[in-house]
Amino acid sequence: MKSTIIKNSIIACLLLITVISKSQTVSVSSKIYDSENKAIPDAIVQLLNGTDSSLIKNEFTDDKGAFSFNEIKPNLYLLQINVIGYKPYLSEALNLNSSQELPTIILQKTEVELKEVAIVARKPYIEREKGKVILNVENSINAAGSSAFELIEKAPGVRVDNNDNVSLNGKPGIAIWIDGKPTPMTGSDLANYLRGIPSSSIDKIEMISNPSSKYDAAGSAIINIKLKKDKRIGTNGSLTNSYGQGIYMKSNNSININHRNKKVNIFGTYSYAYREAFSHLKLDRRFYQNDTFIGAYNQDNYIKYDFNNHIARAGIDYYANKNNSFGLVVSSISNKFNPKGDNTASVFDNSNTMASTYKTTNRSNEKWKNYSANINYKHQFDTLGTELTTDIDYAHYGNKTQQNFETHYYDLNKEEFLNPYLLYGNMKGGLDIYSIKNDFAKTLKKDFKLEAGQKSSYVIADNKLSFYNRSNNLNVFDSSKSNHFIYTENINAIYINAAKDYKNWSMQLGLRCEHTFVTGKQLVYNTSFENNYIQLFPSAFVGYKFNEKHGLELNYSRRINRPSYEQLNPFKFYIDPTTYKEGNPYLNPQTTESIELTHVFKQKIYTTFGFGRTNKNITEVIAPAANQSKITVQTNVNLAQVDVYALNCSLPIDITKWWHMTNDISSYFAFYSGNVANTSISKVGNFNYSINTVNTFNFSSNFSGELSANYRSKEIYAFDVIQPIWFFNIGLQQKLWNNRAIIKVNFTDVMYSNKIKADVAFTDYKETFTVARDSRVATISFTYKFGKISVPGSKKRQGGADDIKQRAGGNGVG
């Protein structure tokens, strides 16, 4: 299988290379000296478009101060040079119809070194780009001391349910990426992993509602978390420490080091987070038979977590020459935590009278690990954007979990009337991912760009769960709860994407084809399944700029969300004697078609209307278990269809010179249709909206404040009715030592109002629940940056193990 993947990839590379054509090109060169006629090595020279000043390419001067830009398209250009200790240089317009060697450029020294604030402009926390909403985490005061999950939870248009499933503007099945690589988790497993990533290691978060065909087709939308990577010349880095106190303490610590010159870029990061947290779930479960009440459970479930999360990442970029570069990135993640759960339940009979109680304790020990490697190569054929990139990825995920459940049953006199039930579980799991992808881009004449590529991946997952009944001081194997599940998956994909700019028009058209072959086998029950299918995923974009104030954008995409390995895994994970979580090996992929129309005003105010239809929507539910009285099961099922009509608006306002406000309003109708647990729904839904505002106050050049608030209205989510949620955060920031040090103080969820409350209804079953977490936290953080200030362009590195990592289904690994 692996040899077939490599063979197909090599053939794809050869086919891509044969379509490369040469265009008429020119070159420009010169030297850079100081006023004493000495060469200035390692200076950053930028070639800019002479019409709109957009960046074309970066180059460094050699030891003799010389530089050159070769194989560039005849056009109007500018040269820009920024060197610490020298005045900035910007050339006159250069009309390059033929190759030129310019006179030596003389830079004049400045009297004082430029301060960092003069070079780096502060970005707002929320930005909009074409097809993206960007959260600039590093620039947010209230983000200090938070985790990645908390930042996503508070983002505009994002909803998180009681099982930690994430949706964006009503779309379920969101793919969560980290540095262009999806994380291998869903639901609570994904949430626990993201809670271990400190905000101090995050640069920005991108939310992409309609990705193009170049992206993997997995996920109805993409949330990409970009970790920090220092881009400054020389040896640079930063240290961050934070301490937060809610009900429990949280500590985030990280260090980033980078060394860069014109040939080599070496980088490394390490972060350690120790975060204590809790989840307090209160439930009232009522059971019926033919509409007649037969009993109920009133439960109080409190779980405390202590996350010990280590993240290490290192890499090297080697620029062999102006056309070829190589890269290697390795990473390792370890997450250990020991959940301590205490569940107390009151049992009611058919007359709604309390008959007994039981108490279940869960003492678990969980260890999750991940290590991965990426090797990449990039060849630039010219400066017009013709390039070929190759990525080879390997990733391993492993976990070991030990669970100890102990249940005691009491009568109304608080006397035990049944023998205690002791259950021990031991789970060992492993997942290996192999991936290779090739991407080719060619810019032709008249601003026409062509992209094509292929990707092949192979996955094997092996998970074994053993349960033992220890109630009678024996270790009796329980085959009804144990299982051994092996899953394999092979996906092969090709795509083509074409883009064209013409006067006021921008157009893009793409098509992606993916072939998927999966197998699954349960060894304990000796059952198996397989699935083999090919699907097409088109995408399109059309933009028109009426004038400097108004523009319209229309985009369309078809996406797929395959079940995660955890969702398919038929293991049973027990919460208490009346509730368990179970995978569904017969779960089908869901597909989503979306179309969005966006109006842009002054490149600041974005208003978007969208429609999306999801077929076979993967929905997590807690419903009555089939053929088991008064037992509930948490699992995933396919709903027939979900239709979402959305209207979103981004409204930034400068109220004064020192007060900036960014407002995001997200609203949508979501209509759900399907059948679960003998309960049919047809176009059930409502109109709901959320308002997110971030206010930044620049009291001085070094002292600023932030106030952010979020309100989410009542929502009908399939079988759940979720009540409104609101919260607000405040924070202050002080810069020190020429902006090299930053102190941030913040207070999140000031009124402790960020709690989920909902009602659930199925045939013969009703449930009401509330969920509270450790969301009200006061945090102080300190960051110190060291090294030089100048920032060159850097190559963007996105590996090949894309949608498969999103679905690996591990806890605390990435």
Side-chain angles (χ1 to χ4, degrees):
M1 181 66 72
K2 298 176 190 175
S3 61
T4 302
I5 295 173
I6 297 173
K7 180 181 177 181
N8 292 339
S9 302
I10 294 174
I11 293 173
C13 287
L14 294 174
L15 291 174
L16 289 174
I17 293 173
T18 59
V19 304
I20 299 168
S21 60
K22 291 288 184 180
S23 304
Q24 180 186 359
T25 59
V26 298
S27 63
V28 59
S29 61
S30 184
K31 295 181 179 180
I32 302 178
Y33 284 12
D34 61 16
S35 57
E36 298 176 355
N37 207 32
K38 294 181 180 179
I40 302 178
D42 294 329
I44 307 164
V45 186
Q46 296 180 317
L47 183 69
L48 308 179
N49 186 297
T51 303
D52 59 10
S53 298
S54 60
L55 178 64
I56 304 297
K57 191 178 182 183
N58 290 310
E59 285 290 354
F60 293 93
T61 56
D62 60 20
D63 294 338
K64 298 180 180 179
F67 70 90
S68 65
F69 292 96
N70 300 316
E71 296 182 359
I72 59 177
K73 183 180 179 180
N75 206 341
L76 193 66
Y77 293 102
L78 297 169
L79 287 176
Q80 181 172 282
I81 304 169
N82 285 299
V83 181
I84 295 298
Y86 295 88
K87 293 181 180 179
Y89 172 84
L90 182 64
S91 72
E92 300 290 335
L94 304 174
N95 192 1
L96 298 181
N97 293 318
S98 59
S99 298
Q100 295 185 31
E101 182 174 355
L102 303 177
T104 299
I105 299 171
I106 305 298
L107 298 186
Q108 302 296 324
K109 290 185 177 181
T110 56
E111 295 182 1
V112 293
E113 183 176 343
L114 292 176
K115 293 183 179 180
E116 183 177 0
V117 70
I119 298 172
V120 182
R122 177 182 170 88
K123 294 182 179 180
Y125 177 54
I126 300 176
E127 276 191 308
R128 288 263 183 174
E129 290 183 3
K130 185 181 294 183
K132 293 181 182 179
V133 175
I134 301 173
L135 306 181
N136 293 302
V137 175
E138 191 174 17
N139 295 333
S140 171
I141 300 172
N142 286 327
S146 298
S147 67
F149 180 77
E150 291 166 332
L151 295 174
I152 292 175
E153 187 179 27
K154 299 169 187 175
V158 171
R159 290 264 188 169
V160 178
D161 66 16
N162 63 302
N163 297 316
D164 294 328
N165 297 300
V166 178
S167 63
L168 177 63
N169 296 325
K171 292 181 182 178
I174 305 302
I176 306 293
W177 290 16
I178 295 180
D179 278 339
K181 296 182 181 182
T183 52
M185 306 152 223
T186 57
S188 58
D189 290 340
L190 172 62
N192 287 336
Y193 166 58
L194 295 177
R195 289 185 180 111
I197 299 179
S199 61
S200 59
S201 64
I202 300 173
D203 178 31
K204 63 179 66 175
I205 298 175
E206 299 174 331
M207 296 183 289
I208 309 170
S209 58
N210 263 6
S212 72
S213 298
K214 183 177 180 179
Y215 290 87
D216 292 305
S220 59
I222 293 172
I223 296 178
N224 184 30
I225 301 170
K226 302 187 72 174
L227 302 179
K228 290 180 180 178
K229 180 179 177 181
D230 206 314
K231 302 174 183 178
R232 294 174 287 176
I233 292 295
T235 301
N236 311 277
S238 65
L239 290 165
T240 299
N241 302 97
S242 72
Y243 177 85
Q245 186 67 53
I247 300 296
Y248 301 110
M249 62 88 69
K250 298 102 172 53
S251 176
N252 296 329
N253 309 275
S254 64
I255 181 172
N256 300 272
I257 298 178
N258 187 87
H259 177 77
R260 184 187 181 104
N261 57 36
K262 64 181 180 180
K263 279 289 187 180
V264 177
N265 180 41
I266 302 173
F267 57 91
T269 64
Y270 170 76
S271 68
Y272 170 70
Y274 178 77
R275 299 175 63 85
E276 295 182 357
F278 73 87
S279 176
H280 191 185
L281 173 65
K282 293 183 178 181
L283 305 105
D284 182 60
R285 294 175 170 171
R286 307 183 71 80
F287 297 87
Y288 299 82
Q289 186 173 353
N290 299 323
D291 293 330
T292 300
F293 179 74
I294 61 173
Y297 296 114
N298 191 298
Q299 297 173 293
D300 190 314
N301 189 11
Y302 187 93
I303 302 178
K304 181 185 176 184
Y305 302 92
D306 56 341
F307 296 99
N308 281 273
N309 188 276
H310 299 264
I311 302 176
R313 183 171 178 263
I316 181 172
D317 297 323
Y318 174 64
Y319 306 94
N321 52 45
K322 63 184 178 182
N323 298 116
N324 297 282
S325 61
F326 303 84
L328 171 66
V329 181
V330 294
S331 65
S332 175
I333 297 176
S334 170
N335 193 17
K336 299 179 182 180
F337 55 103
N338 302 304
K340 295 180 181 179
D342 293 287
N343 180 28
T344 302
S346 299
V347 182
F348 293 81
D349 60 21
N350 57 8
S351 64
N352 203 24
T353 301
M354 191 169 72
S356 63
T357 63
Y358 67 82
K359 182 176 181 180
T360 299
T361 60
N362 172 19
R363 299 296 182 263
S364 298
N365 181 281
E366 305 200 24
K367 299 178 181 179
W368 299 79
K369 64 180 180 180
N370 156 239
Y371 50 85
S372 62
N374 166 263
I375 300 173
N376 56 80
Y377 167 72
K378 180 177 180 179
H379 179 75
Q380 292 180 297
F381 296 92
D382 53 40
T383 60
L384 305 179
T386 304
E387 62 183 33
L388 176 67
T389 61
T390 298
D391 284 272
I392 301 174
D393 284 87
Y394 169 73
H396 172 78
Y397 301 87
N399 67 284
K400 294 181 180 179
T401 300
Q402 292 181 326
Q403 297 176 313
N404 287 280
F405 295 94
E406 185 172 334
T407 302
H408 294 263
Y409 301 89
Y410 302 93
D411 59 22
L412 296 182
N413 295 320
K414 298 183 180 181
E415 299 288 339
E416 288 195 62
F417 67 94
L418 290 175
N419 291 329
Y421 178 54
L422 279 67
L423 184 68
Y424 169 77
N426 184 20
M427 177 180 175
K428 295 180 180 180
L431 173 70
D432 292 283
I433 300 173
Y434 306 85
S435 172
I436 183 170
K437 73 166 187 166
N438 300 279
D439 297 288
F440 172 74
K442 174 70 177 177
T443 301
L444 304 173
K445 295 181 179 180
K446 297 182 180 179
D447 297 319
F448 180 75
K449 186 175 183 179
L450 183 66
E451 296 175 305
Q454 68 82 223
K455 176 188 170 185
S456 295
S457 64
Y458 179 73
V459 176
I460 180 169
D462 189 339
N463 292 278
K464 184 177 181 180
L465 176 63
S466 302
F467 270 108
Y468 299 86
N469 189 330
R470 294 180 170 178
S471 299
N472 298 314
N473 295 321
L474 299 174
N475 211 36
V476 180
F477 180 73
D478 191 338
S479 60
S480 66
K481 297 180 175 65
S482 303
N483 209 330
H484 189 179
F485 183 61
I486 298 176
Y487 177 90
T488 66
E489 175 186 88
N490 176 222
I491 299 177
N492 295 284
I494 56 174
Y495 76 89
I496 187 169
N497 214 46
K500 168 71 175 176
D501 291 332
Y502 179 74
K503 294 184 178 179
N504 293 340
W505 289 91
S506 297
M507 291 166 282
Q508 180 175 287
L509 188 64
L511 180 65
R512 187 179 186 91
C513 177
E514 293 190 352
H515 170 254
T516 304
F517 178 67
V518 300
T519 65
K521 187 174 183 179
Q522 300 182 60
L523 298 186
V524 172
Y525 299 104
N526 196 28
T527 61
S528 61
F529 68 89
E530 66 176 44
N531 204 354
N532 190 350
Y533 55 91
I534 296 177
Q535 293 206 32
L536 298 177
F537 303 96
S539 65
F541 171 86
V542 177
Y544 182 76
K545 186 177 181 180
F546 295 97
N547 48 49
E548 294 300 320
K549 291 185 178 181
H550 297 278
L552 281 179
E553 299 173 356
L554 179 67
N555 64 66
Y556 162 83
S557 70
R558 183 176 188 267
R559 310 280 298 167
I560 189 172
N561 186 33
R562 300 179 181 89
S564 74
Y565 316 119
E566 175 202 10
Q567 291 171 331
L568 293 169
N569 192 335
F571 289 2
K572 292 181 179 179
F573 297 88
Y574 284 83
I575 301 172
D576 63 42
T578 64
T579 308
Y580 64 90
K581 182 179 180 180
E582 184 179 35
N584 179 3
Y586 304 104
L587 202 60
N588 291 310
Q590 71 175 39
T591 56
T592 301
E593 292 186 85
S594 300
I595 186 168
E596 292 182 345
L597 178 65
T598 300
H599 175 261
V600 183
F601 180 67
K602 291 185 177 181
Q603 295 297 315
K604 290 179 63 177
I605 301 176
Y606 291 76
T607 304
T608 301
F609 173 76
F611 170 74
R613 170 165 290 178
T614 300
N615 292 310
K616 297 183 179 180
N617 181 72
I618 298 174
T619 304
E620 187 169 27
V621 297
I622 299 179
N627 304 317
Q628 299 182 72
S629 178
K630 299 181 183 179
I631 301 295
T632 54
V633 55
Q634 179 180 336
T635 188
N636 285 271
V637 297
N638 289 112
L639 282 184
Q641 184 174 288
V642 177
D643 289 337
V644 178
Y645 301 84
L647 179 63
N648 306 313
C649 182
S650 176
L651 185 64
I653 302 174
D654 289 317
I655 297 178
T656 66
K657 291 182 178 180
W658 52 271
W659 181 3
H660 176 78
M661 176 188 292
T662 300
N663 304 291
D664 277 88
I665 303 172
S666 302
S667 61
Y668 58 88
F669 284 97
F671 298 104
Y672 302 85
S673 300
N675 187 296
V676 176
N678 298 318
T679 306
S680 294
I681 54 175
S682 179
K683 296 188 180 301
V684 170
N686 71 320
F687 172 77
N688 60 89
Y689 62 92
S690 65
I691 301 174
N692 189 89
T693 180
V694 179
N695 296 263
T696 304
F697 308 96
N698 295 309
F699 303 118
S700 69
S701 60
N702 294 320
F703 184 59
S704 58
E706 185 176 287
L707 170 65
S708 60
N710 189 294
Y711 175 81
R712 303 168 189 172
S713 69
K714 178 180 177 181
E715 178 184 11
I716 297 177
Y717 179 77
F719 303 94
D720 299 2
V721 179
I722 304 171
Q723 300 303 317
I725 299 173
W726 67 275
F727 55 88
F728 72 92
N729 318 303
I730 57 175
L732 296 172
Q733 173 179 282
Q734 176 69 55
K735 295 181 179 180
L736 304 169
W737 309 329
N738 291 330
N739 300 328
R740 289 189 178 273
I742 301 175
I743 297 176
K744 296 179 181 179
V745 179
N746 66 55
F747 192 13
T748 60
D749 193 13
V750 176
M751 302 303 294
Y752 198 38
S753 53
N754 188 7
K755 302 175 183 179
I756 300 175
K757 301 178 181 179
D759 301 293
V760 183
F762 290 93
T763 299
D764 289 338
Y765 176 74
K766 293 182 180 179
E767 174 183 303
T768 298
F769 68 83
T770 62
V771 180
R773 300 187 177 97
D774 202 2
S775 57
R776 181 164 60 180
V777 181
T779 303
I780 181 169
S781 74
F782 175 79
T783 299
Y784 179 74
K785 299 179 181 180
F786 55 89
K788 294 186 178 179
I789 306 299
S790 56
V791 182
S794 64
K795 72 173 185 176
K796 183 179 180 181
R797 183 76 263 126
Q798 181 169 311
D802 296 333
D803 57 321
I804 48 181
K805 287 191 177 182
Q806 167 66 19
R807 302 163 41 242
N811 187 348
V813 291

